[in-house]
Amino acid sequence: MILLWRISYLDSQDRAYKDRDLFLDTDTLDACTKAVIETAYELRDTGDRRGILKFRHLFHESQNVTADLCQLGQHPMTMSSFCIPDYFEDENGKELNSKEMAHILTGKPNAVMFPAGTPAYRIKLALAEKPPIQLDTIELTQAQLRLLGYFVRDLQEMVNSKFYKENPGTLSGNFPDKMLLETSVTDAEIRSFVTIFRRLYMEKEPCNFLKAVVMFGDALQGYPLAEYILGFGCEYKVELDRPPKFVPYVGADKIPFTRKQLLDVHIYTQYAHQPCPKRERQYSECLAVFGNSKPLLTWVFLNEMWASAIRIRNAGKHIEFVYEHYCRAHNLNPDVLTSLAADHPGIGQLETKQERQERILTEKATELAKNLWEEAGQPSCGPEQFIKTARQKLLDVMGWEDN
């Protein structure tokens, strides 16, 4: 495998960003290192995209990437490229953090750099003094504790759901007629996620995300974290009122509806309710914008719902942290109905009918294979060679088809 890696580096001499092209032929490595690097590359989108940095020293810099690619292309092997967006280094290959880059660019040792477009409320929190939150001076009413308790409960359920942990899936094929949406989660798991998500998203819920933000801001007035959470909530509302960000084939600039409208249409027609004529019409209008491609429309919906959930979690984790520490500091146990999963750890532990059938079929096929092997005079290669025959005999007798 040929790995191509483009790195942005900051030249400290002329204070300019430049590109550096690296490559690595994994076939030149020992078997163990080759396997480890290829594994790190294949798993880069599962959460540890920086894992390959430990092998930076094995990559070679290309002075003429076009010529090198032509030469490498003559060999029959897989060629893949990647980048790590939040990784920067200097001209010598040493990793730079944002403070070091700010120093190089300005010449000032105390300079601080933020990514372009960073909201003011995030910059303000980063630069503010952060005194410890005095939990003993904060007073939450029983009603506030109860509502925040339900917010935290639902937040934990959402973060632990399979759809949240995975991703919205992939879209392939030709637009608009022959497109295919594929996900690593089932329809039932998506529906389960929507059930939780809507409790944090819908305006009429007793303690949705935005209500929890306001409640948290009121309780922690005067602390920088409170201003940060309130700013996050405002940004969340603004983002919901904008069109979907990434819409392949159609283009985000041609979308006449907002993210919120997209979410509402799907929740009201596909999940939480039997649709009324108004919602049916809205769904049809959305579908028409997407060239009547249901896979594309559904994929954009799943992406926007997932992105909204991540935004809720990024602010909600701070609310959860303070809430739980407040309860411990005041020795409180709020009157909140816990999640069914927490009350009943045995949920989901039994075999499904299909799993039980497969287990028993495998066990009995193994026993029968041993008998068939013995009847055949115990030939070399052992009973395993008879498992396929034994399994088929059992299936024929039971009248089942193999899965």
Side-chain angles (χ1 to χ4, degrees):
M1 175 184 286
I2 300 294
L3 294 179
L4 306 173
W5 181 5
R6 170 160 286 187
I7 290 176
S8 289
Y9 73 95
L10 179 57
D11 193 320
S12 61
Q13 301 303 312
D14 53 16
R15 298 178 179 178
Y17 286 102
K18 303 176 182 178
D19 288 331
R20 173 176 287 149
D21 291 302
L22 308 178
F23 70 92
L24 173 64
D25 180 354
T26 60
D27 286 345
T28 63
L29 307 171
D30 64 86
C32 182
T33 304
K34 169 183 166 69
V36 170
I37 289 181
E38 291 184 356
T39 298
Y41 170 75
E42 295 293 344
L43 297 179
R44 69 193 183 283
D45 60 350
T46 62
D48 186 21
R49 62 183 179 183
R50 294 174 62 90
I52 205 167
L53 287 176
K54 65 184 69 173
F55 306 107
R56 164 68 177 84
H57 63 286
L58 297 176
F59 283 77
H60 306 284
E61 185 169 359
S62 173
Q63 300 302 323
N64 188 334
V65 67
T66 302
D68 288 337
L69 284 177
C70 290
Q71 183 177 358
L72 292 171
Q74 297 174 6
H75 302 284
M77 61 180 66
T78 302
M79 188 178 297
S80 300
S81 62
F82 69 98
C83 69
I84 304 175
D86 59 349
Y87 175 75
F88 297 90
E89 60 185 34
D90 64 12
E91 67 272 20
N92 299 314
K94 175 183 174 295
E95 181 174 5
L96 297 173
N97 59 37
S98 59
K99 184 174 180 60
E100 290 169 330
M101 288 190 286
H103 183 193
I104 292 173
L105 290 170
T106 65
K108 300 177 180 179
N110 295 323
V112 179
M113 184 175 71
F114 296 92
T118 302
Y121 73 91
R122 299 192 186 194
I123 296 176
K124 187 173 182 179
L125 177 67
L127 299 179
E129 293 186 11
K130 302 175 184 64
I133 297 175
Q134 302 296 327
L135 295 175
D136 57 334
T137 64
I138 298 173
E139 292 188 11
L140 295 174
T141 67
Q142 288 299 315
Q144 289 174 320
L145 278 172
R146 177 177 171 276
L147 292 176
L148 285 175
Y150 279 118
F151 170 79
V152 169
R153 184 199 70 174
D154 294 342
L155 179 70
Q156 292 171 345
E157 283 190 10
M158 184 184 74
V159 171
N160 289 325
S161 67
K162 190 170 181 181
F163 178 78
Y164 183 90
K165 292 180 178 179
E166 294 295 324
N167 57 56
T170 61
L171 192 68
S172 60
N174 298 320
F175 175 80
D177 300 325
K178 297 180 180 179
M179 305 202 74
L180 176 65
L181 168 65
E182 296 178 295
T183 68
S184 59
V185 294
T186 66
D187 176 66
E189 287 166 336
I190 295 174
R191 291 181 181 279
S192 174
F193 175 84
V194 174
T195 299
I196 305 167
F197 172 77
R198 70 182 300 275
R199 298 201 295 262
L200 299 171
Y201 162 77
M202 298 298 286
E203 296 176 357
K204 293 183 180 180
E205 289 295 322
C207 196
N208 61 31
F209 171 59
L210 289 177
K211 290 177 181 176
V213 163
V214 172
M215 202 175 298
F216 184 86
D218 290 341
L220 270 72
Q221 282 185 10
Y223 287 99
L225 183 60
E227 292 187 48
Y228 171 79
I229 295 299
L230 289 170
F232 206 112
C234 291
E235 183 185 34
Y236 170 82
K237 289 177 63 177
V238 170
E239 290 295 322
L240 281 179
D241 289 333
R242 288 175 176 165
K245 186 174 184 179
F246 180 62
V247 186
Y249 308 102
V250 177
D253 59 325
K254 296 181 180 179
I255 304 300
F257 49 82
T258 66
R259 291 166 171 155
K260 186 178 187 310
Q261 290 169 330
L262 178 68
L263 293 174
D264 288 349
V265 163
H266 278 79
I267 291 174
Y268 276 94
T269 63
Q270 305 292 327
Y271 297 100
H273 306 281
Q274 293 179 338
C276 63
K278 174 185 174 182
R279 294 298 186 182
E280 288 178 330
R281 184 180 66 255
Q282 291 173 337
Y283 178 83
S284 297
E285 291 170 351
C286 290
L287 187 59
V289 173
F290 285 81
N292 290 317
S293 173
K294 287 185 177 180
L296 176 57
L297 176 61
T298 303
W299 183 80
V300 174
F301 159 69
L302 293 177
N303 271 274
E304 291 298 341
M305 181 172 64
W306 190 56
S308 291
I310 291 175
R311 294 187 189 102
I312 291 172
R313 186 262 176 185
N314 286 343
K317 64 183 179 181
H318 299 290
I319 299 175
E320 176 187 7
F321 181 83
V322 172
Y323 168 81
E324 292 183 341
H325 277 72
Y326 178 90
C327 291
R328 283 198 288 269
H330 292 266
N331 195 26
L332 296 173
N333 187 20
D335 184 19
V336 174
L337 294 175
T338 54
S339 168
L340 284 176
D343 286 337
H344 308 286
I347 289 179
Q349 298 303 307
L350 293 180
E351 294 176 303
T352 63
K353 292 179 180 179
Q354 184 175 354
E355 290 170 341
R356 184 169 182 270
Q357 176 179 309
E358 179 60 29
R359 175 179 59 79
I360 293 174
L361 182 60
T362 300
E363 291 173 355
K364 295 306 178 184
T366 302
E367 292 178 14
L368 180 55
K370 183 178 180 182
N371 293 332
L372 294 175
W373 173 67
E374 291 173 348
E375 291 174 3
Q378 299 184 351
S380 59
C381 295
E384 290 78 11
Q385 61 191 305
F386 292 92
I387 287 181
K388 185 176 181 180
T389 301
R391 183 182 180 90
Q392 191 59 53
K393 283 180 177 291
L394 291 173
L395 290 171
D396 291 344
V397 171
M398 299 298 295
W400 295 343
E401 291 185 4
D402 208 351
N403 296 325

